[in-house]
Every structure is written in structure tokens, then in C-alpha cells.
Amino acid sequence: MTIDITRRTFLAAAGLLTTASALGGFSPHALAAPKAAVGPVLEAEGIRVFFGDDGNLHIHDGADVKRLKIHKVYISGKVSGVATEPTLVETDGQQSLKIPFTVTTTDDSIDVSQYACDGTFTVGDGGSFHLAIDLTTPSGFDNASGYTQITRSYVPFEANKETAAITVGSWDTDERGGIPFQIPLGKVYSTPLGDDVMCHELAAKNNADWVSDWNFHLPAMKIDETHYEMAYMGVIGTTSSAAAGGQLSTENLTLGATTEQPFHLWTAESAVLAFDLTVTNLAANADVTVDWTLRDFDGTVVGEGQQVMSGLSGIGTLSGTSQGEVPRGIYFLEATATSAAGDVAVARLNLSVLPPWDNPVPASTSKFGLAAIFMGAGAGYGVGRTDWVDLCKRMGVRHLRQYQQMESAEREAAGIQGMFHRGPTQGQLRGGSGYPDGELDEAARDKLFTEYTQACLESNAPYFELSNEWNMKGGVLSGATAPEYVHDVLLPMHQYLMDAGASTELCIMGLAGPDYVWLEKLAEEEDGAAWKATKAVALHTGRGNFTADWAPTPDTWGTGSDGSYWNNEGSVVAIMDTIAQLDEKYGTHHELLITETYAVTYANHWWTDSFRNAAENTLMTIAYAYKDNVDSFYWYQMSDGVWWNVDGIQPNDKEFSYGMVMVDGSLKSSALAYATAAEHLGDAKFVKEYQVGPDEAKGHGLVFDTPQGELQVLWSRADGYVINSDFEDRNDPFYDMPEPWVDVWPTKTEVSLPAEGNVTEIDCLGRATKLANEGGNVLITLDGAPRMYYGLTVDRNDPEPSPEPTEPEPTPEPTDEPSTEPTGDPKPTPVPTGGPDNPTPTPTGGSGTGNSGPSNGGTGGANDGLAFTGLNGVGLAAAGGAAVLAGAAAKAASHKHKTSPESTPETPLNAGDDSEGQSNATDIEQ
């Protein structure tokens, strides 16, 4: 017996594997049995299956090379099903092997007559196979149904040591509107077998810890009290993991897009963009129409096509290209397949063009860093470690928050300097009532601090960012955990480094937002002992749906999960002000490292950036980092996913959307903006800020000196500082997010500015436009998107403008209803389930890369790998905030920004691990 879902999932595999333009179905057939076979042989293109005289099922590739053996079905701890000689049958119009399994037991008290196990083995073109297992059990088997497995072995057997698991997905839409998003299909376990042949095993849901050299975990699906079904699916061949994963789809119609380029990126001045679309119709014969469009960042169509596949039952593939060569930029492939039966499938893919570029700015002067990079991500899309290194070089990355995330040779090849980041979570070192009365586990602390010290000595990292976001515990701006951090962690750790003679300097943990109160409380302890023991402060500028240049003063901050406390430029100003005041008080000098900043693109949520806004805010964030003269900034993070699931897809958890690279391996527009900023701002020196145009234009300008000449960054805030300000319900996170090629700034203001010669305008993607000089002036159009200009002139002696008042932006009125997401202690971090890219954590407070739970901010951990997430509420306090915090007004009066003295240390400041939040400490190696 088989059910419809198994039929669909089997057919979907071949739908992503076949290269024919159209097929009318599958054509497996029986052959004469080879010498070792017992009974019939089943064959399709690229695969042969038979039952051997050794009692195992044998799977060979198209060259008749043995690749996989299936030994038995593991039903429970003491019950198994052993395959016997199959017969040839016809299932759903195609031939298959019907395999009786003899049920055996190691326990004589078990009545095996209550069990029955039968299998139907089907193969498809392209090397796909599908074993549907029908299982009858005694009543009460439900308790054991989650532990069923297939016992199998690879040929060669030792290939199991190279198995890697990735998550695969497909595109979906929301009936309310917005942009398409990916949903997870399951996992693909890919094992290289030699000769470029891979074995891909598939599971919609299983435990990676129960995938071994002999066993593959496959939970049984309950049909009724005594009836269960299992489906063992896979592909033998040269296809990619991502393509093989299509077998997991349960839809009648599927559509996929791919290219042959790593990251779907063409490194050239211009290129013809070539891609493939694969359609699988799993319903009855029907006409299927495929439409595709390729648009640039402005919405201009640079390629389109349509093809009708008549009477398609099975697979159809087509190829497309742009209309000739296209220049630097990002291009959005939008494809739709529609069947006459009414089924619809969509696919998206970002294609990019970037010209070659060698970064002339060394780590010693560059500020460009990464908070996290997962070197194992993208394997299912043909992306390897070398590709990640090359991408870092092209984008201009010079610093890594956690040096261990790259091998030493990789960092050297990319010109990257790494720092060290670890530390215990708040409360980890004390039992009972906690600090100060709970018992301190000095042995555990000694073990951790000895490991940290050794890492500093071995890496010679310039800075050690110690722990993470403790200020979230007890509420931001309370300073509640500062004494514990000073006495239990910072001062003892400083002594360890001093005793070892380490050159690494301590950096105060990454603050969750601009928590100047916590920083002041830290400095008050022991008459500034902790402040004097450190050389830098780390800050996480957790930004909500505000533009990156917005700088509300502390007296206006609202600190809820959707409050104005979570801003970028105001955070930097407040903390740099506090640093300057404390340095003056204690006679010290501290640098500011922004060890987490980002432009999260959580689809169809109003609190986060759209893909277009993300590019604009990336450029703006970096320009202000140079304007404020921070030591360095670290973008969180290179790719989507989380440390415990680097290729993970989760449409209901924004932790999976912080990267500059999609899980399908394609670049987001923010990646091009980062690269653009590196090309033009990497060695820039800030000159001045000035008002651009008349007051009503609300124009802003930042002026920099660069090796290429004077550079100005110009924009307008005529449309305000709030992104997605037209959302309808603050208690509903859904937002009808516009497509990335849609300009969201309605107000365009033309201003005439003085210039010498013609002017070059450069947008956030690095696309250049020449502007003509007419009588010593150039006409510039300002809107909410920042653009860079070479050739403009400005009087450098003019005084800087006074800051604009932080008037509230128009937003929906607040309600008294609570947020739909928690704002207190974070949810626990999911425990990793093993595998080469998801190592099982060791709770030692050792290496890790990030935050706490998948839905909330953190309270101190430096060990669990996710991005900072204090931004998870579903409302937005009106810009300027709703709460006036105690003491904040007095603080604001003294917050006149002071730029730290320019300093270029021999070894630059860097950062590495990404860690936010209160969670179990883990030991992660990426």
C-alpha cells in the first residue's frame, strides 16, 4: 500500500534532475538479472536496483557501479524487517519491485506475527529512488514510531565520514500579499562516493544524531492505530544537494531556478545572465505555462519569456538569459508556473554582477568586519569554503569577530584580522540565589578562563570581547548585572591575561543597544577598576524599522521590544559620549567596536527592512560608522541561517533572515551595498556634515576625503525616518512588503549644488551615473535613499548644522494590548542535533557564535550563535518613544557627541563570535 504523498515526493525528485526539455513520465523497466541478483532488476536513467544473493538490496549508478546497499528496516529496539526476494509489479502506471520483509526479533517473548512489513521500490530518471514501506504493528506501537530507521551502507563504506546535511526549501506566498518567502521542505544528507557521484538521502523530518555509517533515522508516519508508513528517498548521481531536495515536495506542481555561478554572481564588468528553470507536474497530464521576468533594481525588465509545456506529466526544463549583457547590479528573477488544472508554483532567484576589485585598504585602517560567517553554508548550492573566502575579499571584509570561524590560511588569503569573543552567560558561574550570595563555581571558572587565556595567547588577537549582552537581564538601562560582570568575570579574566603575559586587551561585552546606564554602573565598581582594565567597548546597534541615520536622544527613548531605544546612530552617539566622559574621569582611552549591526530582511514584517531598504541602510550605517570614527564595525551576518542550522529556513523566525546572502546562495542587495561602501569608504576620513538645499528639502550631507577625491553622501528625510510607516496594526507583525525593485520614497527634491567639472553619482549598489555640470552647478535629486557623489564642492569652513529635533513620526496609535511576542527572558535556544555543520554543543561556555533563543533578545550569553534580537515585538513606539526614563533627561543634556581621538593601532581591532543572550553555553566550531 502507498499513499498519494509518497507518489508525489518520488516524482518531484526527478523533476529537479532531468535535463530533457519535456518528458512524458518515467520509464524504468526490468532487465535480465546480473550474476549476483536474485529476481528482477529495475532500471532507469542513472540507476539500477536489484536484490542480491547476499540478502541485501543493491543500488548501482548508471555505469553499473555499486553505490549503496540496504540491509533491513529497524522497527524497534528488538524488532527488524529483513528483505526477501522481490517481485516485479506495476504501481501507478510504472514498474516497481514489491519487497516482502521478514520480521525478526531478538526477544522470544515478542510475537512477530503481529507485525507485517512490505516495501515498494521505485526508481526514476536521474538516479532517484524511493522505497515506500508499509508497516503493520500491534496496538501501542506509537511510542516507538519515532525511532524507526533504515539500515544501509555506502560503497565505499568509509564515505560516511564525509556526509553533510543541509536544509532545503521551496517558495511560497501569503494570501494577504507581500513578497514570496521560502518554506522548509526537509533535510538532504549528501555523501560523496567518488568519481563526482553523490548519494543524497532525504528526510522531511528526522534526527541528525541518528544518522550514522549504518543507520538512517526515518520516523514512521501513523495512518491508524496499527498502521504506519515510511518513505526512504534518495538520489544517486552528480546532481546537487539542493536539486535532490525537490523530492521532498508534496505539491502537484514544483518550480526551481538555478545557475552555474557560485552565489549566482558574475564577477565581470557586464555579463549575460543565464539560468535554468525546472518544472514538475505531478498531477494528470496538463498544459503548464511558465512565465519569467528578470528585473533590475529600478524595475526595468532586462529579460522575459513564456513557454507552454503541452500535456506535461512529469518534468520539463527550460533555460533563459538576460537580453544581452547587463552591467553591475542585482537582478531579480521572478518565475511562475501555472497548470491547466489550476496549480501554481513560484520561484525566485537573485542574480548579481560585480566587477573585479582588489581591496587596497589593509585591516590596520579598514573598519569593515563580519560578526559571523558560516563556512559550511551553501554546500547544497555548490558553494565551498574557498568561495566564501573569495566573496569576503570581493566585498572588502577585513575583520572577523571570532577568529576561529576561518582557518588561519583562509584569513590570510582574505587579508582578514580576527579577534576573540567568548564568555560565560549571566548567572552561569553561580548557583543558588546567584550573585552575590550564591556559591561561585571557581573550578568551572578556572577551566573556562584558562581556555580563554590559551586562545588569546595562540591567536594573538588584539581584543577579547568578553561575554555578551548581560544588560538585557533585569531590563536595559537598569545596570542590574554590571556588578556581577565586574567581580565574577571581567576583573578575574583580566588577571588571568596579565599573569599569562598576553598581549590581547579586554573589550567590554557587546551592549544590547545604547545602555549607557550599565556602562556607568560598571565603571562605578571598585572606583573604575574594570574600566581601567579594558581598552574598548562593544556595542550592538539593534535597529528596528528606522533609517540608520536617525539619532533620537536618550530622554525620548522607549525601551519596549519595539521602542525607539533600538536605533542605530542615536545608539552610537550615546555610547561614544559615555565613553568620552568616563575616559576623561579615569584618565583612560577606549575605542568603540560595533560588534553587531545589521539590516535584517524578515519577509513581510513591518519592524524590519525590505530588501531595498536593507541596501540603503547598509550604506547609511557604514557611512555613519566612518563619520563617527568608530574603530570597526561587524556586520551580522554574512548569510541567512543560524549557527545550529546554517542552511536553515524558518519563515516564522527572523533569526534566519539576518544575512547578506540568501540560503539559496544568492546575494541580497545589502551584500552589494556593503561591497560598494568598501570600495568608496574603506580609507575615508570624515570632514563635515552639512545641510543640503533649503530647509524644506530636509537634505543631509556627509563629506569625506578619500584617495579617489572628495566624496559626499547625500539624502533627504522629507519622508521621515520610519520605514514601513503605513503598516495597519501594531499588534499584527504582517506587512505587505513591496518588491525590492519598488522605490519607497515618494518625495523627490531637486537641488542645485556647486561642482568642479562633471559629477559622478553612485547609488547603494555601486552603479555610477555621470551628471553634467552647467555653469558650475549640478542638479541633484534627493530622496530617502543615500547616494555618493564625486565632483561636488562644499565650503569646509561653514559651521556644521544643528541636529534636527527628534519629532515623533506619524505611526498608528499605541494600544494597551500586550505584544504578541515576549519581551522578558528569552526563549531557550534549540539544541543542535549534530552533523559536520551542526556539531553537538558542549556546555562549557566555550566557542559559540551568537544569541539566545530564536525569538527574543539576549541576556548575556556569548556561546549560542544567533543574532541580537531585542527587536521582536510587533509594535512600534512612535518615533521618539513613549517613555521618559529616569535620569535620561539629565543624561541627554550632556550627550553632545565627541569623536574619539583618531587612533591607528599597529594591530587593528577586530571581532569574531556572534553571541547574544541568556542560554546554555555551547562549544561551536564552524
Side-chain angles (χ1 to χ4, degrees):
M1 172 183 177
T2 59
I3 58 176
D4 187 49
I5 186 171
T6 59
R7 165 66 176 163
R8 291 181 179 180
T9 52
F10 162 67
L11 289 176
L16 288 175
L17 298 171
T18 307
T19 58
S21 61
L23 301 176
F26 302 99
S27 56
H29 54 280
L31 301 177
K35 184 176 182 180
V38 176
V41 175
L42 200 64
E43 183 182 62
E45 179 187 355
I47 189 167
R48 305 181 76 225
V49 180
F50 59 87
F51 182 73
D53 54 13
D54 59 356
N56 297 312
L57 285 166
H58 293 247
I59 301 178
H60 289 211
D61 64 17
D64 205 19
V65 177
K66 185 187 302 182
R67 297 298 185 179
L68 187 67
K69 292 194 296 184
I70 299 176
H71 305 286
K72 62 182 180 180
V73 177
Y74 180 90
I75 299 173
S76 70
K78 298 178 180 179
V79 181
S80 299
V82 179
T84 61
E85 182 178 346
T87 57
L88 189 67
V89 299
E90 186 170 293
T91 303
D92 292 339
Q94 67 175 30
Q95 291 182 318
S96 57
L97 295 179
K98 186 72 172 180
I99 307 167
F101 286 83
T102 299
V103 179
T104 64
T105 181
T106 57
D107 185 344
D108 292 340
S109 66
I110 294 177
D111 182 6
V112 296
S113 67
Q114 297 185 62
Y115 292 84
C117 186
D118 294 289
T120 302
F121 206 109
T122 322
V123 296
D125 290 335
S128 61
F129 62 86
H130 183 277
L131 174 58
I133 299 169
D134 193 64
L135 182 63
T136 300
T137 70
S139 179
F141 179 74
D142 197 40
N143 291 333
S145 63
Y147 301 94
T148 51
Q149 302 177 32
I150 290 289
T151 301
R152 50 82 181 107
S153 60
Y154 307 118
V155 182
F157 179 77
E158 58 272 16
N160 66 80
K161 295 179 174 58
E162 303 297 328
T163 299
I166 71 160
T167 302
V168 293
S170 64
W171 289 91
D172 200 359
T173 57
D174 191 306
E175 61 183 11
R176 294 172 292 180
I179 61 174
F181 51 90
Q182 287 191 291
I183 58 173
L185 292 178
K187 283 189 176 294
V188 177
Y189 296 81
S190 300
T191 305
L193 303 178
D195 304 320
D196 295 326
V197 174
M198 303 288 291
C199 175
H200 303 295
E201 297 169 286
L202 314 173
K205 184 181 296 185
N206 78 340
N207 188 334
D209 282 341
W210 296 346
V211 174
S212 66
D213 49 3
W214 285 105
N215 295 316
F216 187 84
H217 179 226
L218 206 65
M221 183 172 62
K222 186 175 182 179
I223 305 303
D224 55 43
E225 185 64 24
T226 61
H227 182 203
Y228 296 80
E229 290 187 341
M230 303 161 59
Y232 179 53
M233 300 173 284
V235 179
I236 300 289
T238 58
T239 190
S240 69
S241 306
Q247 190 170 188
L248 291 167
S249 174
T250 61
E251 299 298 323
N252 282 330
L253 196 65
T254 62
L255 180 63
T258 188
T259 75
E260 295 183 357
Q261 304 294 124
F263 303 112
H264 313 293
L265 168 65
W266 282 258
T267 305
E269 295 292 337
S270 61
V272 175
L273 308 183
F275 57 88
D276 294 317
L277 295 172
T278 303
V279 189
T280 305
N281 179 33
L282 307 179
N285 288 16
D287 291 348
V288 177
T289 302
V290 180
D291 295 278
W292 63 267
T293 304
L294 193 61
R295 292 182 174 87
D296 68 9
F297 198 61
D298 304 315
T300 302
V301 174
V302 299
E304 59 186 343
Q306 182 184 83
Q307 181 172 333
V308 177
M309 299 178 176
S310 301
L312 180 65
S313 178
I315 309 96
T317 65
L318 61 89
S319 297
T321 68
S322 58
Q323 297 167 352
E325 293 191 351
V326 294
R328 174 181 183 138
I330 190 167
Y331 300 87
F332 305 102
L333 175 61
E334 179 185 21
T336 304
T338 307
S339 76
D343 296 310
V344 178
V346 299
R348 292 291 179 96
L349 192 65
N350 299 339
L351 315 181
S352 301
V353 178
L354 279 175
W357 177 67
D358 291 324
N359 187 3
V361 185
S364 59
T365 54
S366 174
K367 302 182 188 299
F368 283 75
L370 279 179
I373 184 171
F374 309 133
M375 300 295 284
Y381 299 89
V383 173
R385 295 182 70 95
T386 300
D387 297 313
W388 286 114
V389 171
D390 290 344
L391 184 62
C392 284
K393 290 169 61 177
R394 178 58 190 86
M395 288 176 60
V397 177
R398 284 301 194 212
H399 302 293
L400 192 60
R401 189 182 182 201
Q402 179 176 295
Y403 77 89
Q404 300 98 317
Q405 291 189 321
M406 277 188 175
E407 300 292 340
S408 176
E410 294 170 336
R411 295 196 306 273
E412 183 178 353
I416 287 176
Q417 174 87 49
M419 94 175 221
F420 183 55
H421 171 46
R422 291 291 183 274
T425 59
Q426 187 276 324
Q428 179 181 337
L429 298 177
R430 286 188 183 266
S433 59
Y435 181 86
D437 300 322
E439 183 179 357
L440 177 65
D441 191 339
E442 295 191 31
R445 184 173 69 179
D446 178 69
K447 181 178 184 295
L448 285 179
F449 285 15
T450 299
E451 292 174 357
Y452 299 161
T453 302
Q454 188 61 32
C456 291
L457 291 171
E458 292 177 355
S459 66
N460 198 32
Y463 272 78
F464 174 13
E465 183 188 352
L466 179 59
S467 291
N468 199 78
E469 292 194 349
W470 282 37
N471 64 306
M472 290 286 283
K473 188 68 173 181
V476 297
L477 299 176
S478 70
T481 60
E484 178 185 357
Y485 178 77
V486 169
H487 296 286
D488 282 1
V489 179
L490 193 150
L491 289 179
M493 187 69 246
H494 178 255
Q495 192 62 51
Y496 272 75
L497 295 178
M498 294 289 288
D499 292 345
S503 62
T504 300
E505 300 284 3
L506 280 179
C507 173
I508 295 170
M509 64 153 214
L511 296 168
D515 198 338
Y516 63 87
V517 174
W518 194 94
L519 209 55
E520 291 171 337
K521 293 285 187 182
L522 174 143
E524 290 173 2
E525 294 293 315
E526 301 289 338
D527 191 28
W531 187 256
K532 297 170 186 176
T534 59
K535 297 295 183 183
V537 175
L539 169 66
H540 300 167
T541 58
R543 180 177 57 80
N545 66 327
F546 312 114
T547 59
D549 57 311
W550 189 48
T553 54
D555 59 307
T556 66
W557 291 343
T559 58
S561 60
D562 52 11
S564 55
Y565 172 88
W566 306 110
N567 70 84
N568 178 70
E569 176 59 6
S571 298
V572 176
V573 170
I575 295 303
M576 291 195 77
D577 230 18
T578 303
I579 290 173
Q581 294 169 18
L582 293 175
D583 277 343
E584 182 177 0
K585 178 178 180 179
Y586 294 107
T588 54
H589 176 75
H590 285 68
E591 298 288 353
L592 177 61
L593 283 66
I594 304 177
T595 55
E596 285 187 19
T597 190
Y598 47 72
V600 62
T601 55
Y602 191 23
N604 303 325
H605 282 66
W606 62 260
W607 180 245
T608 64
D609 287 349
S610 69
F611 283 95
R612 187 179 190 88
N613 287 140
E616 298 165 351
N617 278 315
T618 297
L619 176 58
M620 186 71 78
T621 299
I622 296 171
Y624 267 90
Y626 273 79
K627 179 258 184 189
D628 294 326
N629 195 31
V630 304
D631 179 87
S632 44
F633 66 86
Y634 301 81
W635 208 263
Y636 191 87
Q637 55 188 4
M638 179 59 95
S639 60
D640 283 348
V642 293
W643 67 267
W644 50 271
N645 191 357
V646 299
D647 288 299
I649 300 169
Q650 179 47 265
N652 297 316
D653 185 348
K654 74 166 172 284
E655 293 290 350
F656 290 79
S657 302
Y658 279 80
M660 294 184 285
V661 179
M662 306 277 286
V663 292
D664 61 13
S666 65
L667 303 186
K668 297 182 185 179
S669 52
S670 53
L672 276 72
Y674 185 105
T676 296
E679 293 171 33
H680 299 281
L681 290 168
D683 207 12
K685 304 297 181 185
F686 177 66
V687 175
K688 66 174 295 182
E689 181 176 10
Y690 77 105
Q691 176 178 314
V692 181
D695 291 345
E696 60 270 21
K698 295 187 177 181
H700 296 259
L702 300 179
V703 183
F704 299 91
D705 280 334
T706 78
Q708 301 98 306
E710 181 179 290
L711 176 70
Q712 295 192 27
V713 183
L714 308 181
W715 69 98
S716 165
R717 283 292 165 250
D719 293 318
Y721 292 88
V722 176
I723 302 166
N724 310 328
S725 61
D726 58 339
F727 68 92
E728 296 180 356
D729 183 356
R730 63 182 297 106
N731 293 311
D732 180 0
F734 176 79
Y735 179 70
D736 187 3
M737 192 166 279
E739 293 286 6
W741 53 83
V742 176
D743 182 354
V744 298
W745 303 110
T747 304
K748 312 294 180 184
T749 304
E750 289 190 339
V751 294
S752 180
L753 299 178
E756 292 182 358
N758 292 333
V759 170
T760 301
E761 177 186 82
I762 301 167
D763 71 0
C764 60
L765 304 184
R767 302 179 301 172
T769 303
K770 296 295 184 181
L771 304 179
N773 187 319
E774 296 182 3
N777 289 279
V778 169
L779 198 62
I780 303 290
T781 300
L782 297 179
D783 62 14
R787 296 174 181 85
M788 297 179 288
Y789 297 87
Y790 289 104
L792 294 177
T793 61
V794 65
D795 186 348
R796 296 185 174 215
N797 297 318
D798 282 348
E800 294 188 8
S802 299
E804 289 185 1
T806 53
E807 298 177 359
E809 296 287 336
T811 58
E813 289 297 321
T815 69
D816 293 329
E817 298 178 12
S819 167
T820 59
E821 296 191 27
T823 59
D825 288 342
K827 299 177 183 177
T829 302
V831 177
T833 54
D837 293 325
N838 301 327
T840 302
T842 303
T844 62
S847 48
T849 54
N851 188 22
S852 64
S855 299
N856 202 349
T859 55
N863 315 293
D864 54 351
L866 307 182
F868 167 68
T869 54
L871 314 177
N872 297 309
V874 294
L876 166 65
V884 177
L885 306 168
K891 180 70 179 182
S894 66
H895 272 208
K896 180 175 176 62
H897 177 57
K898 304 172 185 176
T899 303
S900 297
E902 187 172 317
S903 175
T904 306
E906 181 177 353
T907 305
L909 307 185
N910 308 272
D913 176 27
D914 181 42
S915 40
E916 318 290 331
Q918 181 71 20
S919 69
N920 291 329
T922 57
D923 193 355
I924 303 303
E925 292 297 334
Q926 292 293 347

